Amino acid sequence: MTAEIGFSGLEVGIEGPLSSKKKASYIFNYRYATLGIMKSLGLDFGTGSAIPYYQDLNFKIYVPLTERTRLSVWGMGGPSRISFSGNEVDTTNSAVLYFDNLESNYFTGMGGISVETNLNPKMFGSFRLGISYGVERSAEDSVSMTSAEVFRAMETARPTKSLANTNKGFYSFRISVGIFNAIQLQ
């Protein structure tokens, strides 16, 4: 197991064998944004409340099914959010870039499975199936430059890209099947 902490996040990873007999293995990694923690400890980054919060997980599991056939399962994803607060802005400063409150929340996830088999020494076949999901939810408030009064300007929940659109996000499916010639390198 490894762990690392840096300015932008905490990362923890673990990998190893699932089975010594079949040479199966796994790897898992997790990240968590530490800027929010540092801000709660009193560190100021000069960005007001515009601190990114995120966490994500990724993994891969590899299992040889036979001497010629291999199975892989993988996935990754996680939520993130950031808020810009226009009512924190000094309206007397002409260099101000924004006067709106904006909060954006995202979630992205994807995963897949693949099976590959050696058909002969120079050719292999594969089957791959993947799925992805993503959604963005945002809210924007306008802020009066004179009174700092806040009023709702917009609220949306939309997929970031769509194949099968729902009110809660999008799902994308991909299936790939093929037989490939191996290229012999010299």
Side-chain angles (χ1 to χ4, degrees):
M1 183 165 105
T2 61
E4 180 179 306
I5 189 163
F7 180 72
S8 64
L10 166 71
E11 299 181 25
V12 177
I14 186 168
E15 63 181 309
L18 284 173
S19 166
S20 58
K21 291 181 183 180
K22 288 191 154 203
K23 297 184 180 178
S25 61
Y26 68 91
I27 184 167
F28 287 89
N29 290 295
Y30 173 76
R31 290 187 318 159
Y32 184 82
T34 53
L35 292 176
I37 296 170
M38 291 181 200
K39 182 172 175 63
S40 67
L41 294 174
L43 297 174
D44 184 9
F45 302 105
T47 59
S49 63
I51 302 291
Y53 295 88
Y54 63 84
Q55 59 183 319
D56 56 57
L57 173 74
N58 65 70
F59 71 92
K60 182 175 182 181
I61 298 171
Y62 170 82
V63 179
L65 300 175
T66 68
E67 201 169 294
R68 297 182 337 166
T69 305
R70 299 159 304 283
L71 169 73
S72 293
V73 179
W74 63 272
M76 62 179 152
S80 65
R81 72 178 163 86
I82 190 165
S83 298
F84 297 94
S85 293
N87 54 355
E88 294 178 348
V89 171
D90 177 7
T91 58
T92 62
N93 183 351
S94 62
V96 168
L97 298 177
Y98 61 91
F99 290 104
D100 293 343
N101 290 338
L102 174 64
E103 180 164 331
S104 291
N105 295 284
Y106 300 92
F107 182 87
T108 302
M110 58 194 74
I113 185 170
S114 70
V115 178
E116 292 184 355
T117 188
N118 292 343
L119 301 172
N120 64 44
K122 293 187 177 183
M123 191 181 325
F124 71 95
S126 70
F127 171 83
R128 295 184 175 113
L129 173 66
I131 184 172
S132 64
Y133 172 81
V135 68
E136 173 189 1
R137 298 187 195 298
S138 61
E140 183 176 358
D141 299 327
S142 290
V143 179
S144 169
M145 291 177 61
T146 56
S147 68
E149 180 183 352
V150 176
F151 44 98
R152 180 58 38 109
M154 176 181 67
E155 190 165 351
T156 62
R158 66 180 183 264
T160 53
K161 185 177 175 186
S162 178
L163 283 183
N165 205 356
T166 70
N167 288 336
K168 296 184 180 181
F170 77 89
Y171 294 93
S172 172
F173 299 93
R174 173 175 272 179
I175 298 174
S176 171
V177 179
I179 297 176
F180 305 94
N181 284 320
I183 298 172
Q184 185 172 3
L185 301 174
Q186 303 218 356

